[in-house]
Amino acid sequence: MSDTEPQALSPEEYATLCGFLRDRTGLSFTEAKRYFVDRRVAARMQAVGAADLRTYMNLLRFQASGEELQRLVNLMTVNETYFFREKYQFDCLVNSVLDELVRGRPKGARLRIWSAGCATGEEPYSIAIMLLENWRRVDDYEIELLASDIDSAVLDRAREGIYDERALQGLPAHLRAKYFQPQRGPAEAGGPRWRIVEDLRDSVDFSLVNIVDPQQVRAFRGIDVIFCRNLLIYFDDLGRREAASMFHDALAPGGFVCLGHSESMSRMSSLFVPRRFPDAILYQKPVDGGGA
Ligand SMILES: C[S@@+](CC[C@H](N)C(=O)[O-])C[C@H]1O[C@@H](n2cnc3c(N)ncnc32)[C@H](O)[C@@H]1O
């Protein structure tokens, strides 16, 4: 063992670290996640030569660049996603929600859709494809597709837009042929890969945003639809309630939230009204802006 090799975290150290991560990211790590957390923290402590947790936490807290905190956060997130995941919600968007939202809006008006927790980009790109393919009024409005994540590494991959077979499995073949170009060269060693076409890459505005940081979400206002799917499962109840309140502030009156299939707003917040459409249930901010 080298001098700087980290020891396993004591229960108190584990609680301190998880409390810190909970405050900074909303991510809640219970004792059941100890193996996952321990291994990642030990790897980072070793990489920076921190002999004990106190030294490492000082780096996380006080490093001016925030670089180490970002590296640790990147390791602690679960970024699983794929094209057309929970497609019934995208169907709902193009079959019902968008028509309702633009009713009474003049041609050329802005529509803002935000994928919060977009991981490697499959979700916002799926939305872009669905709009182009299935919403006949797509050219009548100025559509802004915003996508964000707390993990800087997945955002780099989202901007690059290169995907493997697994990510593309749910996409019909004709859409793959239309919107993706096969990648050639050494990368094929890991199996074939495809790059999403430039026009679609340019259609999504990716940014690094931690949804629990009020300063970072301040720029998100007047949003018409927020997709925040399969992110709040990693939060505790308080974190979910806070996130719901943030969505409420970010949405325009009458705007909608789409959550993952295992996430229910009724258990998080009474600020929204559940709306049952033929394809899915979404949660709407009341038009008068209020809530119960
Ligand atoms: C499992 S992925 C879900 C991806 C996509 N929304 C989907 O449903 O397929 C969860 C994403 O949430 C991101 N995330 C976790 N905590 C976050 C936070 N506080 N702010 C922003 N993104 C966060 C993670 O980095 C990860 O990429």
Side-chain angles (χ1 to χ4, degrees):
M1 235 193 223
S2 78
D3 282 352
T4 55
E5 190 152 333
Q7 306 292 307
L9 299 181
S10 70
E12 294 73 27
E13 287 175 328
Y14 186 74
T16 304
L17 178 79
C18 292
F20 172 80
L21 286 172
R22 161 68 183 76
D23 282 354
R24 295 299 180 99
T25 67
L27 298 169
S28 164
F29 298 101
T30 58
E31 195 53 40
K33 284 281 151 69
R34 196 177 230 289
Y35 182 71
F36 175 92
V37 175
D38 268 354
R39 275 177 32 140
R40 283 160 178 77
V41 172
R44 287 310 311 157
M45 285 173 65
Q46 189 138 35
V48 298
D52 52 37
L53 188 73
R54 178 191 287 265
T55 309
Y56 185 59
M57 297 264 321
N58 281 339
L59 186 64
L60 293 178
R61 284 203 171 96
F62 304 118
Q63 186 183 40
S65 67
E67 193 182 325
E68 183 54 30
L69 178 58
Q70 184 69 58
R71 276 180 193 266
L72 182 65
V73 166
N74 289 2
L75 282 180
M76 302 308 283
T77 55
V78 176
N79 311 117
E80 162 73 8
T81 186
Y82 44 90
F83 279 88
F84 282 20
R85 182 178 196 181
E86 297 176 44
K87 177 172 174 286
Y88 58 93
Q89 295 190 331
F90 303 137
D91 290 333
C92 182
L93 183 73
V94 294
N95 293 337
S96 311
V97 168
L98 292 178
D99 284 338
E100 178 172 322
L101 281 169
V102 299
R103 206 171 292 146
R105 285 194 210 184
K107 269 193 178 185
R110 199 174 59 168
L111 253 177
R112 308 187 88 192
I113 302 173
W114 177 19
S115 164
C118 66
T120 34
E122 287 88 329
E123 182 173 275
Y125 288 139
S126 296
I127 296 170
I129 293 172
M130 286 294 292
L131 293 180
L132 289 170
E133 290 292 312
N134 300 301
W135 195 45
R136 69 198 185 298
R137 307 196 63 185
V138 68
D139 292 328
D140 291 348
Y141 294 92
E142 192 198 315
I143 300 173
E144 273 182 29
L145 264 179
L146 310 169
S148 63
D149 204 281
I150 196 175
D151 180 335
S152 57
V154 291
L155 286 171
D156 289 343
R157 289 174 53 199
R159 290 189 186 102
E160 197 181 26
I162 298 177
Y163 298 99
D164 63 12
E165 185 60 45
R166 198 199 52 80
L168 290 170
Q169 251 171 40
L171 200 71
H174 72 283
L175 296 182
R176 182 187 302 208
K178 187 167 172 184
Y179 293 111
F180 292 80
Q181 288 159 345
Q183 290 291 287
R184 311 213 181 279
E188 280 201 44
R193 307 200 313 156
W194 288 265
R195 185 165 204 197
I196 195 154
V197 295
E198 193 178 352
D199 281 352
L200 279 190
R201 294 204 303 277
D202 291 347
S203 74
V204 181
D205 181 1
F206 289 100
S207 56
L208 185 67
V209 176
N210 174 0
I211 67 160
V212 306
D213 184 331
Q215 253 175 299
Q216 294 183 26
V217 293
R218 197 170 292 158
F220 291 78
R221 287 293 177 271
I223 307 289
D224 292 296
V225 188
I226 298 175
F227 283 83
C228 185
R229 308 186 308 164
N230 306 301
L231 186 168
L232 299 180
I233 41 174
Y234 303 103
F235 281 20
D236 58 21
D237 285 345
L238 177 63
R240 288 184 193 117
R241 274 203 299 283
E242 288 170 351
S245 154
M246 184 280 282
F247 296 153
H248 189 266
D249 291 345
L251 282 171
F256 291 90
V257 180
C258 297
L259 299 175
H261 74 279
S262 62
E263 301 158 324
S264 164
M265 185 66 87
S266 51
R267 287 202 298 273
M268 293 177 201
S269 163
S270 53
L271 289 168
F272 295 89
V273 178
R275 287 284 310 277
R276 186 179 293 273
F277 292 100
D279 297 299
I281 297 174
L282 270 56
Y283 300 93
Q284 186 170 32
K285 172 173 172 170
V287 175
D288 66 9

